[in-house]
């Protein structure tokens, strides 16, 4: 499997919570582990985002964030993934004195130590700016994205509550990233509508859109997305939980696909949403009963949208062929 939209802080394992809470002297709460998952009847993206406070409180020093990264990569490998892009916001890890750069260096060290003994698997890092942060804090994130772009940081992102400030407020930041040749993906069209997706693509130079499910598929919008070769990172379960979409039947992945806009299927947050990419495809299979070649088509979209070189993509395509039967059997739960 391949996951291009996966948040580190939303994907901490239960055992990691326990270990890091003990180490950091944090009380996990009387209703642990129920309080790490999105609550039933969650009403909004804002309520969903509250679930990140506890895991973030456990990852405020170099050891803990490196440990969490290694643990996540180890789990992805065990699940049979072949590639992942893990994202996090370095600015959310500075409450106890770590700098944003310390956080990036620690995540990279956790990643490298996890990758050391793994064959047929790779992972890279995406750095998130936050919508609610001030300009200078986000600028520091962008500059780190630029500084580490040849050291397994492959892109920068804009995350956080979409309704807070619209995309046009972040132009100068993403102009910097664009000018340096750093890849850009933007959370847009999740809680808000089509206009946020257009801002991400037109003003923030996004090559990929995180979610984007509310893009109106007008002739003009389709033309723009196809011409600019924009790929979409759908995260179905997360969208249901934030009430962005009502159910799996309304995940518009076939509508996008039909008009030639590449869609990828991702998990968003493995713990908060209690999911992974295999489960996401399984949910969609429950509705659409797609065939093996269709699974291959969407996973090929993920390879093509990955922020890696063509040579690395070719290697992934070969691996995908090798593991496709196994992936398909997992999805149809055989
Ligand atoms: Zn996300």
């Amino acid at each position: 499997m391949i996951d291009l939209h996966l948040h580190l802080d939303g994907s901490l394992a239960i055992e990691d919570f326990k270990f890091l809470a003990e180490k950091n002297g944090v009380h996990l709460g009387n209703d642990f582990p129920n309080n790490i998952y999105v609550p039933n009847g969650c009403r909004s993206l804002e309520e969903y985002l509250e679930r990140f406070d506890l895991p973030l409180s456990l990852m405020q020093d170099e050891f803990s964030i490196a440990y969490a990264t290694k643990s996540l990569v180890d789990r992805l490998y065990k699940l049979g993934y072949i590639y992942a892009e893990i994202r996090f916001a370095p600015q959310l890890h500075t409450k106890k004195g770590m700098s944003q750069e310390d956080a990036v260096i620690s995540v990279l060290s956790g990643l490298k130590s996890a990758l050391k003994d793994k064959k047929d698997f790779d992972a890279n890092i995406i750095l998130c700016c936050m919508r609610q942060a001030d300009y200078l804090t986000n600028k520091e994130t962008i500059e780190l994205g630029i500084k580490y772009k040849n050291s397994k940081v492959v892109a920068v992102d804009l995350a956080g509550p979409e309704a807070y400030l619209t995309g046009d407020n972040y132009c100068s930041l993403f102009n910097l990233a664009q000018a340096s040749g750093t890849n850009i993906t933007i959370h847009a069209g999740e809680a808000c509508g089509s206009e946020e997706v257009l801002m991400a693509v037109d003003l923030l130079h996004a090559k990929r859109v995180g979610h984007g499910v509310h893009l109106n598929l007008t002739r003009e919008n389709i033309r723009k997305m196809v011409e600019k070769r924009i790929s979409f990172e759908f995260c179905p379960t997360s969208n249901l939980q934030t009430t962005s979409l009502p159910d799996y039947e309304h995940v518009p992945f076939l509508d996008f696909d039909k008009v030639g806009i590449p869609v990828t299927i991702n998990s968003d947050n493995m713990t908060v949403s209690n999911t992974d990419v295999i489960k996401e495809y399984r949910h969609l299979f429950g509705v659409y009963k797609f065939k093996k070649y269709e699974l291959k088509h969407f996973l090929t979209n993920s390879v093509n949208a990955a922020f890696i070189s063509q040579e690395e993509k070719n290697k992934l395509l070969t691996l995908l062929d090798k593991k496709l039967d196994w992936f398909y059997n997992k999805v149809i739960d055989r």
Side-chain angles (χ1 to χ4, degrees):
M1 284 296 161
I2 297 171
D3 201 340
L4 300 180
H5 190 128
L6 173 61
H7 292 266
L8 174 65
D9 51 0
S11 305
L12 201 62
I14 290 190
E15 311 79 65
D16 299 337
F17 271 96
K18 290 181 188 157
F19 175 76
L20 293 175
E22 171 92 31
K23 186 191 161 290
N24 293 310
V26 172
H27 180 51
L28 289 174
N30 295 332
D31 51 347
F32 179 84
N34 294 330
N35 58 347
I36 64 175
Y37 305 112
V38 71
N40 283 334
C42 171
R43 288 180 304 263
S44 66
L45 177 59
E46 286 73 12
E47 198 177 337
Y48 182 89
L49 293 175
E50 285 169 13
R51 283 302 193 233
F52 295 82
D53 295 345
L54 183 59
L56 279 170
S57 74
L58 300 172
M59 291 189 269
Q60 296 296 332
D61 64 279
E62 285 89 343
F63 171 85
S64 301
I65 194 170
Y67 181 91
T69 307
K70 181 175 185 310
S71 161
L72 175 57
V73 174
D74 287 346
R75 266 178 290 140
L76 297 176
Y77 183 72
K78 271 193 205 133
L79 280 167
Y81 282 40
I82 54 176
Y83 181 69
E85 290 175 3
I86 299 168
R87 62 186 73 195
F88 82 109
Q91 59 184 269
L92 298 180
H93 299 268
T94 57
K95 290 188 178 72
K96 290 190 180 160
M98 246 198 320
S99 67
Q100 287 202 44
E101 185 161 17
D102 294 336
V104 172
I105 291 170
S106 305
V107 163
L108 291 176
S109 90
L111 174 69
K112 279 174 194 157
S113 106
L115 289 177
K116 235 177 7 205
D117 58 354
K118 292 181 181 49
K119 213 175 136 262
D120 295 342
F121 174 84
D122 199 9
N124 286 304
I125 301 295
I126 295 174
L127 303 185
C128 305
C129 296
M130 298 303 295
R131 287 202 185 238
Q132 63 275 52
D134 62 61
Y135 174 79
L136 286 178
T137 305
N138 278 334
K139 184 162 177 266
E140 193 179 336
T141 307
I142 296 278
E143 285 167 349
L144 288 168
I146 296 169
K147 181 170 176 182
Y148 288 91
K149 84 179 156 86
N150 296 318
S151 312
K152 302 218 46 89
V153 172
V154 292
V156 289
D157 175 28
L158 178 62
E162 209 180 330
Y164 190 85
L165 266 184
T166 50
D168 49 342
N169 289 282
Y170 305 92
C171 288
S172 60
L173 282 171
F174 286 89
N175 283 342
L176 279 176
Q178 167 78 354
S180 70
T182 306
N183 294 308
I184 297 167
T185 174
I186 302 282
H187 280 73
E190 177 186 15
C192 292
S194 217
E195 65 289 349
E196 270 301 315
V197 178
L198 296 176
M199 271 188 241
V201 169
D202 288 334
L203 304 178
L204 307 183
H205 318 287
K207 290 306 283 177
R208 294 195 332 224
V209 174
H211 304 286
V213 289
H214 294 305
L215 175 70
N216 292 330
L217 293 178
T218 61
R219 189 177 295 190
E220 171 61 18
N221 288 346
I222 294 167
R223 189 190 56 76
K224 180 176 289 186
M225 299 302 145
V226 171
E227 263 179 27
K228 294 194 170 195
R229 298 166 171 230
I230 309 298
S231 301
F232 283 70
E233 305 158 359
F234 279 16
C235 309
T237 299
S238 165
N239 285 169
L240 266 54
Q241 290 169 333
T242 59
T243 66
S244 173
L245 294 175
D247 48 43
Y248 293 110
E249 280 87 346
H250 285 83
V251 177
F253 78 118
L254 292 182
D255 305 318
F256 277 56
D257 190 60
K258 249 184 255 161
V259 298
I261 302 177
V263 170
T264 65
I265 302 298
N266 309 280
S267 65
D268 209 5
N269 297 289
M270 287 169 66
T271 304
V272 172
S273 286
N274 196 9
T275 192
D276 58 53
V277 177
I278 296 166
K279 288 183 187 164
E280 291 300 308
Y281 274 110
R282 214 176 267 167
H283 290 309
L284 294 175
F285 180 80
V287 179
Y288 299 102
K289 307 287 177 224
F290 46 74
K291 303 279 187 294
K292 198 191 293 174
Y293 74 90
E294 292 168 299
L295 175 66
K296 182 177 176 180
H297 169 71
F298 286 102
L299 286 170
T300 303
N301 283 350
S302 293
V303 174
N304 290 332
F307 290 134
I308 52 177
S309 67
Q310 190 55 51
E311 192 188 337
E312 288 168 299
K313 288 180 187 181
N314 293 342
K315 264 193 227 160
L316 269 187
L317 288 172
T318 309
L319 256 183
L320 174 57
D321 275 338
K322 214 164 88 180
K323 295 189 80 164
L324 184 65
D325 284 349
W326 189 81
F327 287 154
Y328 190 66
N329 286 337
K330 282 266 176 201
V331 167
I332 63 176
D333 213 2
R334 199 182 275 161

